[in-house]
Amino acid sequence: VGVAAPGGIGFAKNRAVGQSGGAVLVFLDADDVMMPRRVEMQVDALSRHPRSLVGGAWLRWPSGATAHYEAWAHSLGEEGLYLHQYRETTLQMPTWAMTRSTFDSAGPFPCAPAEDLSFFHAHLDRVPRGERPLVRVGTREDPTTLYRYTASSMTSTVTRRLLLAVRAAAFERRVLRADPRWANFIIWGAGRDGKQFLAALSPAARRRVTALADIDPRKVGTMYTNHRLLDEAG
């Protein structure tokens, strides 16, 4: 009897969806804990916003393991959930709920690393901001999920470069190609993050960048050259 090789996280999620029934999908990682009111809160939100990806407030275990990340995630209101989309997945995947039609529209999950981030942006490609593509329910005092932190989790193996590539591609699709006002633009920050974002853009998008802006006097007025990109261009 042959044994198939593991298909990865995205493959497993797609198989779970394919073997499930019902109009609403609720996701939970095996090592996390669902709070008693989670399904009630998320189904109620979906009844009012059927095209939304609905996440939930969460409580980290062990407590304080990722204090800054937890504080940032819960500081986001309705506007912040949308505006911070190019920084991070603003709704954490183990808290997601959605209608099956939303999954069918944005999915399936890619069978590759960063599958949750790719699905997140595929969803945002399809649901305009005015229709509230992202909704969060619960509070830190009344969370939907006990979210376990494990330093050796699969999430920690995804490279920063890959995550940035997914975000930069989404930025190009939804901003640079959709809005003619971005024919030229400036990137704020001439440090690591600004330079890496510039490098992650396609060659056509990089040609639109007129400058890297910064307040560091050591950087202002200097010329930046990415030698790796020059080497790759031949």
Side-chain angles (χ1 to χ4, degrees), residues 46-71:
L46 285 168
S47 71
R48 291 177 281 113
H49 308 288
R51 298 192 69 196
S52 296
L53 178 62
V54 178
W58 45 274
L59 186 65
R60 181 63 97 187
W61 190 87
S63 178
T66 55
H68 292 293
Y69 178 65
E70 186 174 358

Side-chain angles (χ1 to χ4, degrees), residues 131-186:
E131 295 187 31
R132 291 196 68 180
L134 305 173
V135 172
R136 186 178 62 224
V137 299
T139 65
R140 296 180 79 173
E141 295 72 32
D142 185 19
T144 65
T145 308
L146 182 64
Y147 190 5
R148 189 186 303 268
Y149 171 74
T150 306
S152 59
S153 68
M154 289 297 295
T155 300
S156 64
T157 67
V158 182
T159 66
R160 177 185 174 89
R161 186 172 178 179
L162 174 58
L163 295 173
L164 185 56
V166 174
R167 294 180 187 122
F171 178 79
E172 290 192 41
R173 292 195 306 270
R174 288 200 298 279
V175 178
L176 296 186
R177 298 175 192 168
D179 190 338
R181 293 174 297 179
W182 287 77
N184 297 106
F185 66 100
I186 293 172

Side-chain angles (χ1 to χ4, degrees), residues 86-154:
Y86 300 112
R87 173 181 175 181
E88 176 61 87
T89 306
T90 55
L91 297 173
Q92 288 63 49
M93 197 280 153
T95 74
W96 286 2
M98 68 189 81
T99 62
R100 187 174 296 272
S101 61
T102 291
F103 178 87
D104 291 341
S105 175
F109 286 99
C111 296
E115 80 293 334
D116 54 345
L117 182 64
S118 297
F119 187 100
F120 178 80
H121 283 293
H123 170 69
L124 290 173
D125 285 342
R126 290 160 175 78
V127 183
R129 183 177 181 182
E131 295 187 31
R132 291 196 68 180
L134 305 173
V135 172
R136 186 178 62 224
V137 299
T139 65
R140 296 180 79 173
E141 295 72 32
D142 185 19
T144 65
T145 308
L146 182 64
Y147 190 5
R148 189 186 303 268
Y149 171 74
T150 306
S152 59
S153 68
M154 289 297 295

